Amino acid sequence: MMARFGCVLVWLVAVNSAAAFAPTTTQNAARSLALRMTTESAAKDPVKVGVIGCGRIGIVHLGAINKAPGVIPVIVSNPTISKAENAAKTFGVPKFTSDAMEVITDPEVDAVWICSPSQYHADQIKACAANGKHVFCEKPIATDLAETVEAINACNEAGVKLMIGLQRRFDPNFLRVKTAIQNKEVGNTIIIKTCSRDPSPPPYEYVKGGGGIFNDMAVHDLDMTRFLAGEDPIEILAVGSCHIDKSIEDLPGSEAFDTASCIVRYPGGVNAMVDVCRQSSYGYDQRAEVLGTSGMIATDNVYPNTAKIYKKDFTGNADMPFDFFLSRYFEAYVTETEAFCKSLVEDSAVQHGY
C-alpha cells in the first residue's frame, strides 16, 4: 500500500508546531543539559507536577522528575490503581488515583506528564490546556491529523508549554551526527538514512487504536530526519506492508503494517530514507547515516559492552545489541525530562534537542 503524505501528515504537523527545530550549540550537548539552578530560581517555590500513566515509560519519567531540582511530583494516576499506588510509594508521591482527570484538575499541579496510551493523548492535552497546565506528552500527540492540530491549538491558545517526547534528539549518538552536520565535517548533506527495527512485534492490543506504524514507530525516524536536515520537508512518500504479525492485517489503515519505508524530500535536494520493521532477529537496530559532499558519518547500535569474540568461525561482538528501548535510550529519556523540568523552573522556552 502506498500513499503520498497520508497519515504521515500527523507527524509533519506535530513536529512543525510542537517540536520546533532548535540548533545545537555544543558538541557534548547531551551532558551539558544537567540542570543548573540560579540563585534567583532556587528561591522560587518548586514546580509541582503530576504524571498520568505508571507503566514502563511513566516510571522512567517519574524517576527523572524526582531527581530534578526545583520540581516535585505531587500526584500520579493509572487505570490499574495498584500501579499508581506502587509508583507513589516508590517515589514518595503523596497522592495517587485511577482517574487521569484528577491529575489534570488538581489545583496543586502546574504541569502534567502524559504517559498514557496514544489514543488518549489528544483529549488529555486539551484538558490540560483548559485547566492551565503545562504539558509533556509522550509521542504521538494524537492518532489523526485533526486531533493533532486541535491539541496544539489548545495549548497555544491557553498559553501553556507543550513538549512531545522524541527522546532521540537527546541521544549522544544522534547528537554527534547533528554536530557533524552543523560543523560541515562531512561537507554539505546529500542523503540522510535512518532505520528502526524492534526485537519483536508488540501485542495486538498495543497496535490496535495506536494510530499505525507511522505514528507509533516511524515518527521517531521521521522526526530525526527533520532534526538532522534542519528544514521542513516538502514531499513525503510512504509505503507499508505486513510480513511479521499477520494477526494485525484486519486493523484499519497503517495499523495493519508491521513494516514501512518512507522517502522524505527536503529543500535543496536533500533526500531522507527511513525504514522501520517491528521485528529484528538480531536485537534492537537503531542507526543513522548522513552522506555529505566530503564524507559520511554513521552511528552503530549500542551494545551492553565492548567485548568481542575472535574464533575460527566467528569474529564480532560477544553480545547482541540492547534488546529493549528503555535500555537503549534510558539516558535520553532522562535528559529530555530534565530539559522540560528546566524550562518549567526557569520559565524558559522548551528545548527540543540542540
Side-chain angles (χ1 to χ4, degrees), residues 237-298:
L237 177 67
V239 181
S241 54
C242 184
H243 297 271
I244 309 300
D245 182 6
K246 295 297 184 178
S247 71
I248 66 172
E249 286 187 307
D250 65 339
L251 295 175
S254 63
E255 290 184 11
F257 302 158
D258 58 27
T259 306
S261 299
C262 303
I263 298 176
V264 186
R265 189 159 65 91
Y266 287 95
V270 174
N271 288 324
M273 285 165 275
V274 168
D275 80 73
V276 295
C277 184
R278 293 200 188 273
Q279 179 171 290
S280 165
S281 60
Y282 52 89
Y284 197 34
D285 192 358
Q286 304 279 292
R287 291 174 286 127
E289 174 188 304
V290 173
L291 175 67
T293 53
S294 62
M296 187 264 286
I297 184 169

Side-chain angles (χ1 to χ4, degrees), residues 80-342:
T80 304
I81 197 165
S82 60
K83 289 188 175 182
E85 183 178 14
N86 290 338
K89 288 179 179 178
T90 299
F91 296 101
V93 181
K95 294 179 284 187
F96 63 90
T97 177
S98 62
D99 186 354
M101 283 304 298
E102 290 186 19
V103 176
I104 294 171
T105 59
D106 190 306
E108 278 195 288
V109 170
D110 300 305
V112 176
W113 261 253
I114 297 175
C115 304
S116 55
S118 300
Q119 56 266 43
Y120 303 115
H121 289 183
D123 286 341
Q124 289 172 350
I125 290 172
K126 288 184 283 187
C128 286
N131 284 273
K133 314 294 187 182
H134 302 295
V135 186
F136 178 99
C137 183
E138 269 298 317
K139 61 78 187 168
I141 295 175
T143 56
D144 68 42
L145 179 58
E147 286 195 331
T148 300
V149 174
E150 288 176 8
I152 294 168
N153 287 344
C155 290
N156 287 338
E157 291 165 7
V160 298
K161 302 178 191 295
L162 172 63
M163 180 174 178
I164 303 303
L166 294 163
Q167 87 285 353
R168 294 184 196 180
R169 289 177 172 232
F170 296 88
D171 177 74
N173 300 284
F174 290 108
L175 282 173
R176 183 62 184 88
V177 176
K178 178 65 178 176
T179 300
I181 293 171
Q182 288 188 312
N183 294 340
K184 302 290 185 181
E185 294 178 57
V186 294
N188 295 320
T189 300
I190 301 173
I191 294 173
I192 300 168
K193 292 182 180 179
T194 72
C195 79
S196 292
R197 300 161 190 166
D198 288 348
S200 59
Y204 180 91
E205 289 305 319
Y206 173 89
V207 178
K208 183 180 179 181
I213 196 167
F214 300 110
N215 279 349
D216 73 8
M217 187 176 180
V219 60
H220 285 293
D221 296 85
L222 292 165
D223 176 69
M224 183 49 57
T225 67
R226 180 175 179 267
F227 182 58
L228 295 177
E231 300 272 8
D232 291 331
I234 56 178
E235 189 173 12
I236 305 168
L237 177 67
V239 181
S241 54
C242 184
H243 297 271
I244 309 300
D245 182 6
K246 295 297 184 178
S247 71
I248 66 172
E249 286 187 307
D250 65 339
L251 295 175
S254 63
E255 290 184 11
F257 302 158
D258 58 27
T259 306
S261 299
C262 303
I263 298 176
V264 186
R265 189 159 65 91
Y266 287 95
V270 174
N271 288 324
M273 285 165 275
V274 168
D275 80 73
V276 295
C277 184
R278 293 200 188 273
Q279 179 171 290
S280 165
S281 60
Y282 52 89
Y284 197 34
D285 192 358
Q286 304 279 292
R287 291 174 286 127
E289 174 188 304
V290 173
L291 175 67
T293 53
S294 62
M296 187 264 286
I297 184 169
T299 65
D300 196 358
N301 288 314
V302 178
Y303 291 77
N305 56 67
T306 61
K308 294 184 181 294
I309 291 178
Y310 300 87
K311 297 170 62 176
K312 180 174 63 176
D313 58 352
F314 174 79
T315 297
N317 292 85
D319 294 300
M320 301 281 273
F322 281 121
D323 62 356
F324 190 46
F325 71 96
L326 287 181
S327 303
R328 168 63 180 83
Y329 287 112
F330 182 81
E331 181 181 355
Y333 280 115
V334 171
T335 307
E336 73 171 356
T337 300
E338 290 177 343
F340 193 58
C341 288
K342 185 174 187 286

Side-chain angles (χ1 to χ4, degrees), residues 50-68:
V51 176
I52 297 172
C54 296
R56 297 175 302 190
I57 196 61
I59 294 300
V60 171
H61 286 300
L62 185 56
I65 293 165
N66 213 37
K67 295 176 182 177

